[in-house]
Amino acid sequence: QVQLVESGGGSVQAGGSLRLSCEASGYGYSRNGCMGWFRQAPGKKREAIASISSDGTATYADSVKGRFTISKDNAKDILYLQMNSLKPEDTAMYYCVRASLDSRAALCSPLTLGGYWGRGTQVTVSS
């Protein structure tokens, strides 16, 4: 069974930074698929915000472009999301995803590519 575990969430003031991490465990997941981050704020739909393909190509939603950076450590098989200049509207539950297939053209999503979801880590940004 595959498990994705996020960490690094917390509470921060506007303008601050956080770094999220996501580690996978188990067997059967593809190491050649894309990986990414989604978030869901209360009362809103879950949205994809950043993804990275197997060759390291990063893609961002407009809402986080220029402020968030996605990266991965291939040796440790850990996915990161560096979040800078945080705003109150960034408050949400953040989920990492690992897809079964790769994608460079669009944000990585298990909904279209198959794969797995983490359980989420809460990020709260106060004004």
Side-chain angles (χ1 to χ4, degrees):
Q1 187 173 355
V2 176
Q3 285 191 324
L4 302 180
V5 180
E6 303 93 338
S7 61
S11 297
V12 64
Q13 289 193 325
S17 298
L18 286 172
R19 188 176 81 155
L20 306 184
S21 300
C22 176
E23 296 188 60
S25 62
Y27 297 91
Y29 63 89
S30 172
R31 292 177 179 261
N32 297 318
C34 58
M35 295 184 282
W37 293 92
F38 277 65
R39 69 183 181 187
Q40 186 169 20
K44 295 190 176 182
K45 292 174 61 176
R46 191 173 295 191
E47 62 170 342
I49 57 171
S51 64
I52 188 165
S53 67
S54 60
D55 69 357
T57 301
T59 306
Y60 300 95
D62 288 343
S63 57
V64 306
K65 197 174 295 183
R67 300 186 298 121
F68 291 9
T69 302
I70 189 170
S71 62
K72 60 179 179 173
D73 184 325
N74 287 324
K76 297 180 179 179
D77 199 21
I78 298 176
L79 179 69
Y80 300 102
L81 184 68
Q82 178 66 43
M83 305 186 295
N84 298 330
S85 303
L86 282 161
K87 305 174 182 180
E89 51 263 44
D90 293 319
T91 295
M93 186 72 78
Y94 284 71
Y95 301 88
C96 74
V97 299
R98 182 183 288 266
S100 299
L101 301 175
D102 202 10
S103 175
R104 295 179 186 81
L107 288 163
C108 186
S109 173
L111 296 175
T112 54
L113 302 173
Y116 303 93
W117 295 82
R119 291 190 174 185
T121 186
Q122 178 67 38
V123 171
T124 302
V125 185
S126 58
S127 56

